[in-house]
Amino acid sequence: MTGSGWHDHSFLGRLSRSARETVLQLGRVQTVQPNRPLMRQGEPGAAVYVLLDGRVGVERIVENGALSLLGIRHAGDLVGEMAVINDDVRTATVTTLDRCAVSVIQARPFMTCLTRHPEAMLALSRMTGDRLTQANVYRADAAGYEVDVRLARALLYQAGRSPEREGGRPVVRLRQKQLAMLIGAQEGTVQKALKGPTLRDLVHCGRGRVALLDPPGLADLADMPLPLQLCPPRR
């Protein structure tokens, strides 16, 4: 997290205090209940949404009718910007996973802000780069790792973006079906992997959530560094 309280990889976390206030003053804050669409694939892009609290899922229906989960967005993130920037229709449906607070900024003032404030444009470019990198990581993981390792990597990434804890342990609140779509696997394969010998001592599965029992052990399995947000505090 940055000193502002926003994650340093989020759109808001990349802005200075003054730039962040400028952006937020453009919007109208709304509260949206869980499982509600903020935008639908194919609709015109009339506004962007800054996520102030909660999480949303970004889903796309591909040409054969299958549903793909492209990613999870967290507090501080921006969604809906591509259709506004390209003056095009939405390429995905964005649905609330939790009770969310969002700041809705109409297209014209948002584009004016980007023109007048290079810092906001730079933050947007870096955020877009992060998302492209993560999408490429998921794609490369699918080709290079078994399901249990891909699960470990995805769980660590999601836990690193979320402050949620249960009993002091990081928790990822996603259903097994969502995890399966996220890593490009079958739901039954994910169920078996989570209960299998490799992961069963590292995670604990509950209804709609996975608790990380041993984040360092999970990072060893994942062949990746432990995210800073999951490292024990220094004494």
Side-chain angles (χ1 to χ4, degrees), residues 111-149:
M111 293 301 295
T112 299
C113 177
L114 294 182
T115 302
R116 294 179 178 176
H117 298 277
E119 182 183 343
M121 178 65 83
L122 180 59
L124 176 61
S125 298
R126 288 175 171 170
M127 181 198 74
T128 302
D130 284 345
R131 290 179 181 176
L132 178 59
T133 297
Q134 186 58 37
N136 287 338
V137 166
Y138 281 140
R139 187 177 297 112
D141 285 356
Y145 291 109
E146 298 296 330
V147 168
D148 50 1
V149 178

Side-chain angles (χ1 to χ4, degrees), residues 84-106:
V84 167
I85 292 172
N86 295 327
D87 192 22
D88 205 348
V89 298
R90 307 290 192 193
T91 59
T93 296
V94 176
T95 305
T96 56
L97 301 178
D98 313 305
R99 186 174 184 269
C100 293
V102 297
S103 177
V104 185
I105 305 175
Q106 297 302 311

Side-chain angles (χ1 to χ4, degrees), residues 183-233:
I183 67 169
Q186 296 296 318
E187 183 178 358
T189 306
V190 167
Q191 290 174 349
K192 290 179 181 178
L194 288 170
K195 296 177 181 178
T198 305
L199 284 171
R200 64 187 174 201
D201 293 330
L202 302 177
V203 301
H204 179 267
C205 300
R207 186 171 183 178
R209 66 188 60 218
V210 180
L212 278 55
L213 304 179
D214 182 2
L218 203 61
D220 287 342
L221 171 64
D223 193 24
M224 63 182 283
L226 185 66
L228 291 177
Q229 292 78 11
L230 304 183
C231 292

